[in-house]
Amino acid sequence: MTPELLFSHVGTAAMAGWALLILGPRRSVWLNALPLWIIPAGLSAVYAALIFSRFSGMGGGFDSLSDVAKLLADDWALLAAWVHFLAFDLFIGAVMAARMDRVSIGRLVQTPILLSTFMLGPLGFLIAALTELGLRARRLPTQTKSLEGTHNVFA
């Protein structure tokens, strides 16, 4: 199998996971398991196979940016890095979607956040985290003092 063919297969698997995550119903435990556990685990297995079968004797390393560039100059190492991104971004997207569901963030708001996680990884995570944090902060009770005593008021 060539790196290009494997690239195509892992990309298709990741796209299926993202499509389920964004468009699929979230009431089904099995459908939720696909983008959260099953597809990321499969991608992680591909990643492990690439690492264990291809990385011995490769040039480059992780000590400097130029060493990383040397390492990723190899198509198999670059593919392993890409599979790493696909697996982690999908897993994080599924976790963030579940968290946003729990705090009642609707699908229309979730969709651009999840798409940004798919396309831009950490930026999507940051947007999701800030959205959830903002919503949770709005719902925190604040204490007010009155003549009758302390009361919790939702802001």
Side-chain angles (χ1 to χ4, degrees):
M1 180 174 295
T2 66
E4 280 294 327
L5 184 58
L6 187 53
F7 175 86
S8 177
H9 290 315
V10 297
T12 300
M15 286 296 288
W18 281 103
L20 275 173
L21 186 60
I22 293 170
L23 301 172
R26 298 230 182 99
R27 293 184 185 129
S28 168
V29 172
W30 289 106
L31 281 180
N32 288 338
L34 285 167
L36 179 63
W37 295 110
I38 296 169
I39 295 172
L43 292 170
S44 297
V46 170
Y47 173 79
L50 288 169
I51 294 299
F52 292 129
S53 69
R54 301 286 177 165
F55 267 50
S56 65
M58 275 190 188
F62 302 104
D63 296 336
S64 68
L65 187 57
S66 65
D67 282 348
V68 171
K70 287 177 197 167
L71 178 65
L72 295 182
D74 180 90
D75 283 349
W76 289 105
L78 183 60
L79 178 60
W82 182 245
V83 173
H84 177 281
F85 294 144
L86 291 176
F88 271 50
D89 288 353
L90 181 57
F91 177 77
I92 294 300
V95 168
M96 294 310 298
R99 291 180 62 91
M100 289 187 287
D101 283 346
R102 279 195 295 276
V103 295
S104 301
I105 296 173
R107 285 290 189 91
L108 287 176
V109 173
Q110 284 187 35
T111 297
I113 294 170
L114 292 173
L115 288 172
S116 66
T117 304
F118 172 55
M119 298 300 292
L120 304 168
L123 179 59
F125 168 77
L126 179 63
I127 294 168
L130 292 174
T131 301
E132 181 183 343
L133 181 65
L135 187 59
R136 286 182 187 266
R138 257 186 75 214
R139 293 182 179 168
L140 286 176
T142 57
Q143 287 191 349
T144 62
K145 290 229 179 215
S146 69
L147 295 175
E148 296 90 34
T150 302
H151 299 283
N152 287 327
V153 178
F154 286 91

